[in-house]
Amino acid sequence: MAEVTVREALNQALAEELERDQNVFLIGEEVGHYNGAYKVSQGLFERFGDKRVIDTPIAEAGFAGLAIGAAMAGLRPIVEFMTWNFSLVAIDQVLNNAAKMHLMSGGQFNMPIVFRAPQGAGGSLSAQHSSTLESFYAYTPGLIVVSPSTPGDMRGMLKTAVRSNNPVIFLEHEKIYAIKGELDEPENVDYLVPFGKARVVREHENAQITIVCWSLTVHVVMQAANELQVH
């Protein structure tokens, strides 16, 4: 089976969900004509048009709020921030509206919305682009927070996120997009990876330690484990 990059896996997931459900749309800074800041939405604007792949101004609170309203009306928006650092501009929309709408409406409104973006230290990106915010969002009731590490999990979990009726925070490390791996069931457009279940990357019958990690750190830990095994 051919290997694909994380970037390609995410692009496939987006294309499959846009094709499957006419209520799904992608909105954010540079997602259309520019094909995404990290080229995750490559080719989607040409394929699905400007009603399904929507470029926005640099106004995170505005387009996040627009997407929340669309989700309340029955659509399934995927909101791309240029970086998770910039999501803090829309923090009131994410925490006080998206996360709480189902509860505060007494169950009258679902919130099928995905917020996704890169995060973490990249190359020469300075302090305004390098935060990791999973712990911050994980402590917010009402949000599902995921940060996959492999192309297969990226594709499967993004598709699960899009089909969820709850708001999902989908975190992609800036240094993970070029990492390659195989996809599980690449031809199956309904292949999903469930939330809440860890993937055991490596196990040993005499293991005396368990390392729990996510996103880019999975690859760092595996590299260390491989070096220790050699020595």
Side-chain angles (χ1 to χ4, degrees):
M1 185 184 300
E3 291 189 333
V4 300
T5 64
V6 163
R7 178 181 292 106
E8 292 167 334
L10 290 167
N11 180 270
Q12 181 174 334
L14 291 171
E16 289 172 344
E17 293 306 296
L18 285 163
E19 184 69 40
R20 182 189 64 86
D21 187 346
Q22 293 297 308
N23 288 322
V24 174
F25 68 94
L26 176 65
I27 183 170
E29 297 144 326
E30 299 185 343
V31 297
H33 290 89
Y34 192 68
N35 291 307
Y38 287 83
K39 306 307 177 190
V40 171
S41 56
Q42 181 87 37
L44 298 182
F45 180 82
E46 291 79 6
R47 180 174 174 183
F48 296 101
D50 60 3
K51 298 294 190 296
R52 308 285 306 286
V53 181
I54 304 169
D55 280 322
T56 69
I58 302 175
E60 289 82 4
F63 65 76
L66 183 153
I68 290 168
M72 292 173 65
L75 300 180
R76 292 185 173 272
I78 305 167
V79 177
E80 179 176 321
F81 297 117
M82 194 176 294
T83 163
W84 272 108
N85 298 259
F86 299 166
S87 73
L88 299 179
V89 179
I91 201 68
D92 181 56
Q93 295 287 4
V94 177
L95 300 192
N96 286 326
N97 290 326
K100 299 175 182 178
M101 187 60 65
H102 184 74
L103 174 66
M104 298 300 291
S105 69
Q108 295 182 75
F109 291 108
N110 289 323
M111 188 50 57
I113 187 169
V114 180
F115 297 100
R116 50 166 295 270
Q119 68 161 6
S124 303
L125 294 178
S126 188
Q128 289 289 351
H129 300 74
S130 301
S131 296
T132 52
L133 297 173
E134 55 262 52
S135 60
F136 176 80
Y137 282 112
Y139 278 98
T140 301
L143 297 176
I144 297 171
V145 180
V146 295
S147 189
S149 60
T150 66
D153 282 350
M154 284 283 186
R155 172 182 174 244
M157 295 187 81
L158 181 55
K159 291 165 68 67
T160 299
V162 173
R163 301 188 192 192
S164 173
N165 286 325
N166 298 298
V168 179
I169 301 295
F170 199 92
L171 303 138
E172 306 155 14
H173 199 284
E174 290 170 352
K175 288 186 176 180
I176 212 171
Y177 287 118
I179 290 176
K180 291 185 175 182
E182 294 184 352
L183 297 181
D184 298 308
E185 303 181 30
E187 304 302 322
N188 180 6
V189 296
D190 291 317
Y191 175 78
L192 306 175
V193 174
F195 296 146
K197 183 178 180 181
R199 178 185 294 276
V200 179
V201 179
R202 175 181 290 182
E203 56 184 339
H204 192 281
E205 59 182 6
N206 296 320
Q208 299 181 32
I209 185 173
T210 298
I211 300 176
V212 179
C213 51
W214 55 90
S215 189
L216 182 66
T217 56
V218 173
H219 302 280
V220 175
V221 169
M222 284 302 300
Q223 181 180 355
N226 291 335
E227 292 178 3
L228 289 172
Q229 187 176 39
V230 170
H231 297 293

